[in-house]
């Protein structure tokens, strides 16, 4: 069977390239709701991404086309990255070799075939790394500053970002 993978594009300064071969049939489309919860007493932000992947790739005449996984970018410094679907854990591969983003690959429990939907959740922490006072990520009992990214396929409606700050911020 012919397996295909497409990137979940992070709407961020360092977006990943899309596969042009999938452009005609839209490929794997992802719509995601991201939630950022600032936890100043723990010096971190907890990020939760609830997403649904839908395949728009029809089967070729001589086989099946499906998506076994999705790869997307998250902020540098992401820690404790995990994924699940229906409460069951999914395999996650983290490649933090880039300077501007971290690649995360989530392997689905089963391939996503033409016109199928696959809901999944990704969670990770953005801990305050300390250091220079002008850094992008600062989480403390007196200040909260962090980068906010949206996730999903570019141009697809339905995605959202929610930021939750504790009282006093």
């Amino acid at each position: 069977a012919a397996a295909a993978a497409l990137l979940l594009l992070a709407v961020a300064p360092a977006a990943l390239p899309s596969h042009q071969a999938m452009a005609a049939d839209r490929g794997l489309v992802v719509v995601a709701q991201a939630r950022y919860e600032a936890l100043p007493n723990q010096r971190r932000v907890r990020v939760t991404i609830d997403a649904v992947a839908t395949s728009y790739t029809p089967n070729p005449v001589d086989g099946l086309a499906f998506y076994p996984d999705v790869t997307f970018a998250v902020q540098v410094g992401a820690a404790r990255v995990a994924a699940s679907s229906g409460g069951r854990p999914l395999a996650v591969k983290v490649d933090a070799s880039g300077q501007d983003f971290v690649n995360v690959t989530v392997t689905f429990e089963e391939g996503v075939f033409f016109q199928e939907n696959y809901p999944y959740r990704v969670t990770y922490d953005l801990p305050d790394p300390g250091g220079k006072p002008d850094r992008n990520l600062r989480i403390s009992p007196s200040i909260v500053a962090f980068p906010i990214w949206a996730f999903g396929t570019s141009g697809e409606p339905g995605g959202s970002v929610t930021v939750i700050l504790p009282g006093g911020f």
Side-chain angles (χ1 to χ4, degrees):
L6 184 69
L7 299 174
L8 165 66
L9 299 177
V11 180
L16 297 173
S18 63
H19 291 135
Q20 291 183 359
M22 298 295 171
D25 60 32
R26 291 176 61 204
L28 187 69
V29 171
V30 176
V31 176
Q33 286 72 45
R35 178 177 181 234
Y36 292 77
E37 182 179 5
L39 303 167
N41 292 337
Q42 298 175 27
R43 299 186 54 91
R44 67 184 175 106
V45 174
R46 183 65 172 165
V47 182
T48 302
I49 304 165
D50 287 312
V52 176
T54 304
S55 173
Y56 289 95
T57 303
N59 292 325
V61 175
D62 59 346
L64 298 173
F66 65 95
Y67 293 85
D69 57 25
V70 64
T71 299
F72 57 98
V74 300
Q75 298 91 333
V76 169
R80 296 180 6 168
V81 180
S84 63
S85 180
R88 294 174 306 279
L90 298 175
V92 175
K93 179 183 171 196
V94 177
D95 177 3
S97 62
Q99 289 185 339
D100 298 324
F101 57 89
V102 171
N103 278 329
V104 174
T105 300
V106 175
T107 301
F108 301 140
E109 252 183 330
E110 53 193 49
V112 181
F113 292 86
F114 182 52
Q115 297 181 335
E116 287 185 345
N117 296 318
Y118 190 84
Y120 62 97
R121 171 177 279 183
V122 176
T123 58
Y124 61 94
D125 289 336
L126 293 173
D128 186 332
K132 296 181 181 183
D134 64 344
R135 64 192 181 273
N136 286 337
L137 177 60
R138 293 182 64 185
I139 310 295
S140 74
S142 61
I143 188 170
V144 172
F146 53 94
I148 299 167
W149 291 10
F151 302 91
T153 302
S154 180
E156 289 295 324
S160 67
V161 175
T162 301
V163 177
I164 298 170
L165 301 174
F169 284 88

